[in-house]
Amino acid sequence: RARCGAAGTARRAEAVPLEAKRYPILSRRAPLGKFPKLPDTVHPGVVTGKAYSDLLQWAKENSFAIPAVNCVSSSGINACLEAARKMDAPIIIQFSSGGSQFYAGKGLDNKNFHAAVAGAVSGAYHVRALAEQYGIPVILHTDHCAKGLLPWFDGLLDANERYFERYNEPLFSSHMLDLSEEPIGENIEICVKYLERMAKIDCALEMELGITGGEEDGVNNEDVNPEDLYSKPEEIWQVYEAL
């Protein structure tokens, strides 16, 4: 996943009059505006499905990375959107389980990850309401989800499916499953199950191979062997064959 960006990659969206900009949550019509240097499928606002795939492939072909920022507040999201507009570049806005709970506020009970689901969905709607207004393409993503956080993941997929029924696209562009703490066979088996469900709504899946370094959402790998931090070719082949 990309962690650093390049300026000037989006090449300014063609101007869309203010009165012509839609509010995605309230409108079914397709977004207006396109980018002269980006694939025709990519438009201002949240990209999903083929537009999402085309944007990643375009970034790969042009040898640049798209920054991914974990957000925990609406003001943080707004700062990301403003920065992307100033740099004339796409951006990934994402939420972790803990960040999603924080977004919802300390007053909500997080039993069965209720607050974490509500916070992530709230953040997603905030991004969708504003991304198109800022005139930049946004990938809407959730970060590392370990096995113990799967009820949070399930709640997000429920929200995606409800959104898809109304708007014919998922609420989020993609989600990440991080089952690197589990045996590789179990990791792949669970990812296959979720991918089958997500493919029906054009939502992309990111999975983790190897071991994530450092500490995140209660998973601590600060003392692991350095060679275990990297994906292994034989594991990648297993994933390719299964997915």
Side-chain angles (χ1 to χ4, degrees):
R1 288 181 305 132
R3 291 299 180 187
C4 57
T9 54
R11 306 303 182 195
R12 293 290 177 203
E14 293 181 353
V16 176
L18 183 61
E19 61 273 13
K21 290 185 177 180
R22 65 172 192 156
Y23 293 92
I25 299 168
L26 304 177
S27 173
R28 290 176 180 267
R29 75 161 171 80
L32 301 177
K34 59 182 180 180
F35 302 93
K37 299 294 184 179
L38 292 181
D40 290 339
T41 55
V42 178
H43 52 75
V46 174
V47 295
T48 63
K50 190 175 189 310
Y52 167 87
S53 178
D54 288 348
L55 179 57
L56 292 184
Q57 184 61 34
W58 186 85
K60 180 180 180 180
E61 291 172 355
N62 287 272
S63 302
F64 78 92
I66 303 176
V69 184
N70 278 57
C71 292
V72 297
S73 69
S74 58
S75 58
I77 290 172
N78 293 349
C80 289
L81 295 174
E82 183 176 349
R85 183 175 65 179
K86 287 181 177 179
M87 297 303 291
D88 194 18
I91 192 170
I92 302 171
I93 293 179
Q94 60 188 30
F95 306 95
S96 67
S97 172
S100 298
Q101 182 183 357
F102 185 89
Y103 195 102
K106 294 183 177 180
L108 283 187
D109 185 355
N110 198 39
K111 183 179 180 181
N112 297 323
F113 296 91
H114 173 82
V117 172
V121 170
S122 176
Y125 271 93
H126 183 92
V127 172
R128 281 193 169 272
L130 291 181
E132 191 175 325
Q133 313 304 312
Y134 278 84
I136 43 96
V138 176
I139 291 173
L140 189 52
H141 186 62
T142 57
D143 209 3
H144 299 265
C145 177
K147 187 176 180 179
L149 301 177
L150 286 178
W152 173 60
F153 200 92
D154 291 332
L156 296 179
L157 291 191
D158 289 342
N160 277 307
E161 289 165 344
R162 290 195 299 271
Y163 195 90
F164 187 88
E165 289 175 2
R166 183 174 179 84
Y167 297 104
N168 202 35
E169 68 171 335
L171 177 60
F172 290 84
S173 310
S174 53
H175 298 286
M176 178 188 186
L177 281 175
D178 181 359
L179 303 174
S180 56
E181 291 287 298
E182 314 306 323
I184 182 66
E186 184 178 3
N187 184 351
I188 294 174
E189 181 182 358
I190 293 174
C191 286
V192 166
K193 181 186 72 173
Y194 277 105
L195 182 60
E196 290 173 348
R197 180 179 176 185
M198 295 169 70
K200 296 175 182 177
I201 56 172
D202 238 358
C203 190
L205 172 67
E206 176 189 6
M207 66 179 294
E208 184 79 38
L209 291 175
I211 296 175
T212 307
E215 188 277 335
E216 185 163 359
D217 279 339
V219 178
N220 192 323
N221 288 315
E222 294 176 321
D223 299 323
V224 299
N225 294 325
E227 60 270 19
D228 291 333
L229 296 176
Y230 298 92
S231 303
K232 297 177 173 62
E234 59 271 20
E235 293 180 345
I236 295 174
W237 179 249
Q238 282 183 264
V239 172
Y240 176 79
E241 286 191 311
L243 274 69

